[in-house]
Amino acid sequence: MENHKESQGSGPLKGLRVVELGMLFAGPLIATNLADLGAEIIKIEHPKGDVVRGLGQGDNSLWWSVVARNKKLVGVDVKKPEGADIVRRLLATADVFIENFRPGRVKEWGLDYDTLRKVNPGLVMLHVSGYGQTGPYSERPGVGTLAEAFSGYAHVTGEPDGPPTLPSFPLADGVAALTGTYAVLAALWARDRNGGIGDEIDISLYEPLLSMTGPMLINFTKGGVVSNREGNRARWSTPRNTYKTKDNRWIAVSSAADSPAMRLFQAIGREDLTTNPAWATNRERLKRVDECDNMIAAWMLLHTQAEIMERLNEFDVLAAPVNDIEGILKDPHVQQRGSVVSIPDPVLGDTVVQEVVPRFRNAPGKINWLGRHEVGTDTLEFMVEAGFSADEIQKLHRSGIVKVS
């Protein structure tokens, strides 16, 4: 049995209580963000275990270790009336409630905002769903992959002659989680200034990603331009691409502004272009995209990645190596800055994960523990707090409605 008495630690959100009810990524990632900054997270998972526990390879889901870090676990079957009652009791003392089921589902369980605010007027409730709580698609099932397609992101990602390209990690969930995190904090700020009244927040998976597509929408509505796949090029900037090196690695370059472009030309031995009006501005260079890319690509193939980065850094060029995960771990800047951290785990041993972001000087966040391996690690603690007797807890445990570890 795992120790369930660890301190939540410090952080700017210490003292904030959040109840998380959801599966997979967007909703739970919002809670993870808040947990990293010191909030107490009570994660409700089915007594049989969250679905993320079964993702990936091996007996212990490494993904679970990341997304369930810093969370206290309560095993409850919320679909049963007795289970929903336990969650309602927990929510009476919570600041935030995060759920990411299909719209209307939590209302069936008596966990909708109108019901909850009667007993907890200050509660901030956040819904995350594929298409939002309203609209003709609201009842459709939605996951990050579908949002990446529906939002227009996949249509503009990939090579011009290739298929629309999806990311290999839950990008839409991550973007929605960041949006949800700042939305919760904004609602809490407002609550403290309007008499302690909370709010209800509606986030779809596709809209945060759509909002990040820059001028794609206005380019069409005002210019009639439909953005399409352009590989690693950009319609608005050149040189901007990834280039293969002599040792079969890659370098990314971005020089939308003119002065970085001139420094790049100097670095690759083309000082003549720095005084040529045909290459002086981004607008002029965009007329010569192929020529520009071919010239840079030919030079890159003559040198190794390390040689290229040394040369480009000497000229202050806007460039970076395209790292794989091994390269990231070996990078001296990543190591010195502490972008990753090793966390002890009772099953996995010392485990390297990404460090908390952002960084606070006076009240830094911290990863106190990785996702716990037992379901219901903290069920007993919170049911006692909610006023359940030992007999009631044992009865609910035997019935399978709760899991007590």
Side-chain angles (χ1 to χ4, degrees), residues 12 358-365:
R359 302 176 184 224
F360 290 78
R361 178 174 180 176
N362 295 326

Side-chain angles (χ1 to χ4, degrees), residues 104 156 294 333 344 354 366:
V156 297
N294 292 338
H333 181 84
Q354 300 93 326
K366 181 182 179 183

Side-chain angles (χ1 to χ4, degrees), residues 254-390:
S254 180
S255 299
D258 297 330
S259 56
M262 297 305 107
R263 296 197 297 271
L264 172 61
F265 296 152
Q266 289 177 325
I268 67 173
R270 293 303 305 269
E271 292 87 349
D272 58 301
L273 299 182
T274 64
T275 57
N276 188 333
W279 295 83
T281 67
N282 189 61
R283 188 180 298 274
E284 288 298 318
R285 292 192 297 276
L286 283 170
K287 300 175 183 178
R288 297 163 179 81
V289 173
D290 288 336
E291 183 181 355
C292 186
D293 268 343
N294 292 338
M295 172 185 64
I296 297 169
W299 182 84
M300 295 272 189
L301 282 172
L302 298 176
H303 310 279
T304 67
Q305 186 188 64
E307 293 169 344
I308 292 168
M309 286 309 305
E310 183 177 3
R311 176 73 173 176
L312 298 186
N313 286 332
E314 179 183 346
F315 283 83
D316 202 24
V317 174
L318 295 174
V322 178
N323 283 325
D324 58 16
I325 195 64
E326 184 179 8
I328 292 172
L329 288 172
K330 290 181 178 179
D331 190 278
H333 181 84
V334 172
Q335 293 176 354
Q336 192 279 331
R337 185 166 164 80
S339 301
V340 298
V341 62
S342 181
I343 305 295
D345 183 86
V347 174
L348 301 175
D350 291 343
T351 304
V352 176
V353 295
Q354 300 93 326
E355 178 60 293
V356 173
V357 289
R359 302 176 184 224
F360 290 78
R361 178 174 180 176
N362 295 326
K366 181 182 179 183
I367 300 177
N368 297 292
W369 62 83
L370 300 180
R372 289 160 166 168
H373 300 280
E374 291 188 31
V375 179
T377 309
D378 305 283
T379 303
L380 180 61
E381 173 187 344
F382 287 108
M383 289 191 70
V384 170
E385 178 186 315
F388 287 89
S389 68

Side-chain angles (χ1 to χ4, degrees), residues 150-194:
F150 187 79
S151 66
Y153 167 83
H155 177 76
V156 297
T157 305
E159 294 298 325
D161 58 351
T165 302
L166 298 167
S168 59
F169 60 93
L171 175 66
D173 293 90
V175 174
L178 291 173
T179 303
T181 301
Y182 78 67
V184 165
L185 299 179
L188 292 171
W189 173 274
R191 182 187 70 176
D192 292 344
R193 283 153 182 77
N194 67 2

